[in-house]
Amino acid sequence: MVETVENAATERPLWLKIWQFPLVAMIVAIVLILLMTALVQLFSEVVLNDALGEPGSMIATVVLLVAALTSIYKVAIRRLGRKKRDDLPLPPMLRDTGLGFAGGAVLISLCVGLAALFGVYRIQGGDNFTDWPTIVFLFGVYAGFFEELLMRGIVLRWLEEMTGTWIALAISSLLFGFGHAWNDNATVVSSTAIAIEAGILLGAAYILTRSLWLAIGLHAGWNVVQALWDVPVSGNPTVGPVAATLEGPDLLAGGGFGLEATVFALIVATSAGVWMLVLAARRRRIVRPMWSRRGADITPS
């Protein structure tokens, strides 16, 4: 007789059930990520800052952090929980990250185009691009990799195993959006907008592909190209290759936070996210809550 998943679960010892429970796995993974990040930051402060100065130390820190987090993920985090899964598979890395970067660039450029069409975005001329290390490495590589690994690769992943796709997507999106509440020029509107547009877009990319690379590329492409258009990145202004202004009603110009707090981003990014969720549903990538699976596999094929 073939043993069912449900029967096998009853034979697991209590300590193993607790250790493999999704919330426990999520907390352990978060602790590992934060510890590794703290170690890299400490090394940067003690060694890299004096040795390399700025911006060299920042670039080296970001590269080292990505390598360290990838290592701890491959060695430990992907083995946590009952369902083992690697959300950083190597074969689709270049393809999906590149596709995501291009997609993010197109989406934010559409928002810039709409803002220009409505008269709230104007290019004043060229600029000296002095913030290129921040734009490329901090807003691109760091934000794209670290935030996606944390929010989609850990929080969304294990919440989904427990609550199912839709509840997990809602919770992780809210956490992501209001995690930006302490940024410069942030408001309740801007945090809510990021929760909706970016939470759905990036969460959908993960749900559709069951990999982090597309989401990482989308996040990085959106941030980098946004800065290249001289639009504040989540409230953080930068000096890029062009000088531009955003002036007008807050819902159109973002009120100092940038286009992420506007109706343009809400429409463009959310529409792309909903489209990917529809594709994910059609491809049976949606996970049911653990209380309704009745022994079925945790993740869809």
Side-chain angles (χ1 to χ4, degrees):
M1 179 180 293
V2 178
E3 186 181 46
T4 65
V5 174
E6 193 170 15
N7 288 337
T10 62
E11 297 180 1
R12 288 181 297 153
L14 179 60
W15 70 267
L16 186 58
K17 291 180 182 179
I18 294 173
W19 175 250
Q20 293 180 340
F21 191 71
L23 282 182
V24 174
M26 183 180 75
I27 292 170
V28 172
I30 290 173
V31 169
L32 290 174
I33 288 291
L34 296 181
L35 282 175
M36 184 61 71
T37 302
L39 287 174
V40 171
Q41 289 176 338
L42 179 62
F43 179 78
S44 177
E45 292 172 4
V46 173
V47 177
L48 298 181
N49 288 351
D50 291 336
L52 301 177
E54 288 292 345
S57 63
M58 184 269 288
I59 295 173
T61 299
V62 170
V63 173
L64 180 60
L65 181 62
V66 169
L69 293 182
T70 301
S71 298
I72 195 66
Y73 182 87
K74 292 287 189 179
V75 170
I77 293 175
R78 70 185 180 96
R79 304 178 191 277
L80 295 173
R82 189 174 177 207
K83 178 75 174 184
K84 318 303 180 189
R85 188 172 75 242
D86 186 357
D87 288 332
L88 292 174
L90 294 180
M93 179 179 67
L94 293 179
R95 181 199 65 200
D96 287 1
T97 305
L99 181 62
F101 192 95
V106 168
L107 291 175
I108 189 59
S109 295
L110 284 175
C111 296
V112 171
L114 288 171
L117 184 64
F118 279 80
V120 298
Y121 174 85
R122 297 178 181 86
I123 294 179
Q124 305 297 316
D127 216 334
N128 57 23
F129 203 11
T130 55
D131 286 343
W132 71 265
T134 298
I135 292 171
V136 173
F137 288 94
L138 194 61
F139 294 154
V141 178
Y142 170 78
F145 188 86
F146 177 81
E147 293 181 15
E148 291 313 303
L149 180 61
L150 179 63
M151 295 307 305
R152 259 57 67 173
I154 294 176
V155 175
L156 176 55
R157 171 186 171 177
W158 275 296
L159 282 179
E160 186 181 43
E161 287 191 8
M162 185 174 68
T163 67
T165 296
W166 303 120
I167 295 176
L169 180 61
I171 294 173
S172 62
S173 296
L174 286 171
L175 290 173
F176 184 67
F178 282 87
H180 292 75
W182 288 269
N183 289 24
D184 292 342
N185 302 306
T187 64
V188 173
V189 171
S190 68
S191 299
T192 303
I194 289 181
I196 296 171
E197 68 206 19
I200 292 176
L201 175 69
L202 299 170
Y206 172 74
I207 293 164
L208 175 62
T209 62
R210 292 298 163 186
S211 162
L212 288 170
W213 297 121
L214 183 64
I216 289 170
L218 278 167
H219 197 150
W222 175 282
N223 281 0
V224 169
V225 176
Q226 183 172 211
L228 296 182
W229 286 116
D230 197 28
V231 173
V233 180
S234 301
N236 299 293
T238 58
V239 179
V242 301
T245 59
L246 268 173
E247 295 178 347
D250 287 356
L251 286 179
L252 299 181
F257 191 81
L259 289 175
E260 293 169 346
T262 68
V263 294
F264 305 127
L266 275 171
I267 293 171
V268 171
T270 306
S271 296
V274 170
W275 173 69
M276 284 192 288
L277 286 176
V278 170
L279 289 180
R282 289 176 178 173
R283 296 176 187 179
R284 301 183 182 276
R285 303 285 170 86
I286 306 302
V287 177
R288 290 176 294 163
M290 65 188 309
W291 53 83
S292 69
R293 285 196 296 266
R294 298 180 180 179
D297 198 7
I298 293 173
T299 55
S301 58

